């Protein structure tokens, strides 16, 4: 069993900052790409940012220059630093990772349960 647990969401005013964390636990042998996705009300889930095990990053155009993704491979953790938040950033943010377990097999996609970010005055 593998779990991804997000934390750090909450209510913040426009222009403010939040830092999300996602920790993987369970029978994890290796994690390749990790990422953050978000889903706003009445919208489809969309990519926010991804980071490879080697540290290469990719961002949605809407968050470039404001959000920074990083990871700690030793802790099976990925972070999302969100600055200059806007009301349109309001969404449930989900962590995603490609995980290989100690039981063998190929990398499998795992999702967290999500954490709500609300940007409002």
């Amino acid at each position: 069993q593998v779990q991804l647990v997000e934390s750090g969401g909450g209510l913040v005013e426009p222009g403010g900052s939040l830092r999300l964390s996602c920790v993987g636990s369970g029978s994890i042998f290796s994690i390749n790409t990790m990422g953050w996705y978000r889903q706003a009300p009445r919208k489809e889930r969309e990519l926010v940012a991804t980071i490879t095990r080697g540290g290469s990053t990719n961002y949605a155009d809407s968050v470039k220059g404001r959000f920074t993704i990083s990871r700690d491979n030793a802790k099976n953790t990925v972070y999302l630093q969100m600055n200059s938040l806007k009301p349109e950033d309001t969404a449930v943010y989900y962590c995603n990772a490609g995980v290989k377990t100690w039981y063998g097999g190929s990398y499998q996609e795992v999702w967290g349960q999500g954490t709500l970010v609300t940007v409002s005055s």
Side-chain angles (χ1 to χ4, degrees), residues 14-91:
S17 298
L18 281 176
R19 189 191 196 207
L20 305 183
S21 300
C22 171
V23 181
S25 64
S27 305
I28 296 174
F29 175 74
S30 177
I31 300 177
N32 52 18
T33 298
M34 304 185 80
W36 289 96
Y37 292 72
R38 67 186 181 186
Q39 187 167 18
R42 298 174 297 281
K43 292 188 176 180
E44 293 187 355
R45 190 173 298 189
E46 63 177 3
L47 170 73
V48 176
T50 61
I51 183 168
T52 67
R53 185 171 183 83
S56 296
T57 58
N58 179 55
Y59 294 94
D61 287 343
S62 59
V63 307
K64 281 181 181 176
R66 300 188 298 122
F67 291 10
T68 302
I69 189 170
S70 60
R71 65 188 284 174
D72 184 332
N73 291 330
K75 296 181 179 180
N76 293 328
T77 300
V78 63
Y79 306 98
L80 186 68
Q81 178 65 45
M82 305 185 293
N83 299 328
S84 303
L85 282 160
K86 305 175 181 179
E88 50 263 45
D89 294 317
T90 295

